[in-house]
Amino acid sequence: GSTNAAVPTQPNSSERISTLYSPAVVKIYNVHCMDILINGQPYIADACQGGTGSGFFVGNEGYIATNGHVAVSRPIDIAIMYALQQLSDGDSSYFTTLADLSNLTEADLAAVTTNEQKLAVIADKFYAIPESTFTPTNNVSNILVDLGEKQPDVQELVATTKAREKYPEQDTIKQAELKAFDYRALDGANTGVFKSSDVALLKINGSGYPAVKIGNISSLTQGSGLNIMGYPGAASTNQLVDATQSKATLTSGKVSSIKNATGSQKQLIETDATIGHGNSGGPAFSDSGEVVGIATYTV
């Protein structure tokens, strides 16, 4: 009798991208503590924050692309967001300090109507305050890049940072340095105007790292396939998986549209691919396997 030989199936683009490029996608932890002075006077004591996100190697010399909101911890950003939070909680003193420094007036806010527009006016005024006005003291920043599946001990990371100490490096957990960014904490989704791109570049020591291929947004059209890789928080804290290990997840969808961002010529890719918290900073691949964007907002 005859036998039918199995015909090997070609992997689809998502499978191929996952196989080729998942080693280039990393998980990022950013935990920092600082006191902030304004013109030498105490403003905020013990400002401690932390979060996780995703990133990816660009080139093999240790440079990692991610979101600004994942990697940046500037005193001016922290001061502005803290003042707004305190204002919403009923304490206007922090906001008043920044308003006085920036010459923000009631008339400035009366000229616009919606909350988004008011936040956009506040952002432009407050970010015009010279950054040198804000001085961090008693500060430490632990930006960790996780190259493997073993995760840092988060409780230990937080305790170490609060003690103003560096978290010790391990074989697959490296300290990173912030090299460049285009980011404002009060921007984009909360103001309705995109003055920054919410991107950052980190650097870790070493070389020979696996890297992605960088493409161009011009290669995309409406309906093009899009594949997003990253480390969404919900996927690693859902009680069903081993929380001490971490693996990148991949979601796929289509390009819904490509639009200019409000207030700038920066371009945004809208997609129906799922983007979860923690995916921030992860690469968005075209079906040809080139990075054409960074997962940034879920609106």
Side-chain angles (χ1 to χ4, degrees), residues 31-55:
V31 185
H32 53 269
C33 282
M34 68 182 74
D35 303 336
I36 297 174
L37 308 178
I38 288 185
N39 289 326
Q41 298 300 309
Y43 182 68
I44 306 173
D46 215 29
C48 293
Q49 298 175 337
T52 66
S54 304

Side-chain angles (χ1 to χ4, degrees), residues 195-206:
K195 293 295 180 76
S196 77
S197 297
D198 195 357
V199 293
L201 194 65
L202 299 174
K203 174 77 167 65
I204 64 173
N205 289 332

Side-chain angles (χ1 to χ4, degrees), residues 62-64 143 145 174-180 201-205:
Y63 286 96
I64 296 163
I143 305 175
V145 174
K174 303 297 183 184
Q175 283 277 356
E177 183 183 347
L178 179 66
K179 286 293 189 182
L201 194 65
L202 299 174
K203 174 77 167 65
I204 64 173
N205 289 332

Side-chain angles (χ1 to χ4, degrees), residues 182 187 194-198 217 259-268:
D182 177 26
D187 196 38
F194 294 82
K195 293 295 180 76
S196 77
S197 297
D198 195 357
I217 196 172
K259 296 176 179 175
N260 284 343
T262 308
S264 73
Q265 292 303 302
K266 302 175 193 301
Q267 290 187 294
L268 298 178

